[in-house]
């Protein structure tokens, strides 16, 4: 199967990069999909669909073996697996999403004081993001952590660009409200 995927790539550099990704993450991708789908054939379909999405967005992956790349791949696999669940109607979307992995990269700061304050706010913000249901959590993660455009995210989560924009805006508003309620922001922040 690897050779079929490699034939979809143009440059030798992309082929080598993808081959490393595939070797490192193929089994892990299957485990994530199987944990959601509980069916070998469906999990394989989810992995296949995910691999195609990864090939289409290969330029987004800068490092092969890092937390951000794994989080990005998990987001794609989960999205494809949840779509298969919806099509097959095996169990409620909410039940499937409750098994969601929670992978978000940690940011680093320069000074210890800033790092402490930032970590506190970051920790709270990450906790609030993790409480969001799919696809809100994935859309915010891809946009803010992976620096992806709404067009790119729409392809990954298989929603329209406008829908992705609306979900992101509503999610940001909800998070800002929750942060204000905790006294973390004053409500004068600009939307990104």
């Amino acid at each position: 199967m690897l050779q079929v995927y490699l034939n979809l790539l143009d440059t030798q550099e992309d082929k080598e990069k993808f081959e490393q990704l595939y070797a490192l993450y193929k089994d892990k991708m299957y485990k994530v999909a199987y944990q959601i789908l509980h069916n070998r054939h469906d999990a394989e379909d989810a992995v296949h669909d995910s691999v195609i999405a990864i090939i289409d967005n290969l330029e987004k992956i800068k490092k092969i073996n890092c937390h951000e790349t794994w989080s990005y791949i998990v987001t794609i696999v989960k999205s494809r697996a949840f779509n298969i669940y919806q099509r097959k109607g095996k169990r409620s979307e909410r039940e499937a999403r409750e098994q969601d992995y929670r992978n978000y990269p940690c940011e680093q700061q320069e000074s210890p004081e800033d790092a402490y304050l930032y970590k506190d706010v970051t920790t709270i913000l990450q906790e609030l993001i993790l409480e969001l249901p799919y696809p809100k959590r994935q859309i915010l993660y891809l946009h803010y952590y992976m620096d992806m455009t709404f067009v790119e995210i729409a392809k990954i989560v298989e929603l329209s660009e406008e829908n992705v924009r609306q979900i992101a805006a509503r999610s940001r508003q909800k998070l800002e409200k929750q942060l204000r309620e905790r006294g973390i922001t004053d409500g004068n922040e600009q939307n990104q």
Side-chain angles (χ1 to χ4, degrees):
M1 194 69 185
L2 175 61
Q3 192 57 47
V4 172
Y5 296 135
L6 291 175
N7 289 337
L8 299 173
L9 296 163
D10 296 327
T11 68
Q12 186 61 32
E13 181 181 331
D14 284 347
K15 289 179 183 189
E16 289 171 6
K17 182 179 184 179
F18 177 77
E19 198 166 2
Q20 291 174 358
L21 278 169
Y22 190 77
L24 184 61
Y25 296 115
K26 175 185 66 155
D27 294 336
K28 294 175 183 177
M29 291 169 65
Y30 177 82
K31 288 177 184 176
V32 169
Y34 188 84
Q35 194 166 33
I36 294 167
L37 296 164
H38 300 286
N39 177 291
R40 183 174 63 88
H41 297 293
D42 291 344
E44 289 170 355
D45 289 345
V47 170
H48 172 74
D49 293 348
S50 300
V51 167
I52 298 301
I54 290 166
I55 288 172
D56 290 343
N57 294 285
L58 193 59
E59 73 281 355
K60 293 287 181 192
I61 299 173
K62 304 300 180 207
K63 295 180 182 177
I64 303 295
N65 191 8
C66 72
H67 183 72
E68 284 188 14
T69 298
W70 173 235
S71 295
Y72 176 65
I73 290 171
V74 166
T75 300
I76 293 172
V77 173
K78 289 187 297 186
S79 176
R80 296 309 186 263
F82 291 139
N83 288 339
I84 289 171
Y85 248 125
Q86 282 182 320
R87 283 195 302 265
K88 297 209 174 212
K90 290 190 172 185
R91 61 180 169 158
S92 76
E93 183 176 326
R94 179 183 171 107
E95 183 181 338
R97 305 223 191 284
E98 287 174 358
Q99 293 182 1
D100 202 0
Y101 285 88
R102 296 180 173 177
N103 296 315
Y104 290 90
C106 295
E107 299 290 331
Q108 296 179 6
Q109 290 294 312
E110 294 154 13
S111 75
E113 296 83 17
D114 286 345
Y116 175 76
L117 293 173
Y118 184 80
K119 183 178 179 189
D120 188 42
V121 173
T122 300
T123 302
I124 292 169
L125 186 57
Q126 286 179 347
E127 289 171 0
L128 293 174
I129 289 172
L130 290 173
E131 292 172 5
L132 294 172
Y134 174 88
K136 293 175 185 177
R137 177 177 35 234
Q138 280 73 13
I139 289 170
L140 290 181
Y141 171 77
L142 291 171
H143 187 63
Y144 291 107
Y145 287 95
M146 296 299 293
D147 203 26
M148 295 180 74
T149 67
F150 292 124
V151 172
E152 295 166 329
I153 296 168
K155 290 177 186 175
I156 289 172
V157 297
E158 296 179 333
L159 295 171
S160 71
E161 177 186 355
E162 184 58 31
N163 198 356
V164 168
R165 285 182 188 278
Q166 289 175 354
I167 290 169
R170 290 180 186 139
S171 300
R172 272 194 312 267
Q173 289 171 351
K174 181 178 181 175
L175 291 172
E176 287 170 4
K177 180 182 176 191
Q178 290 175 320
L179 289 173
R180 277 192 306 275
E181 289 171 355
R182 292 177 182 222
I184 296 172
T185 65
D186 61 9
N188 293 326
E189 290 74 20
Q190 280 187 295
N191 284 342
Q192 296 185 11

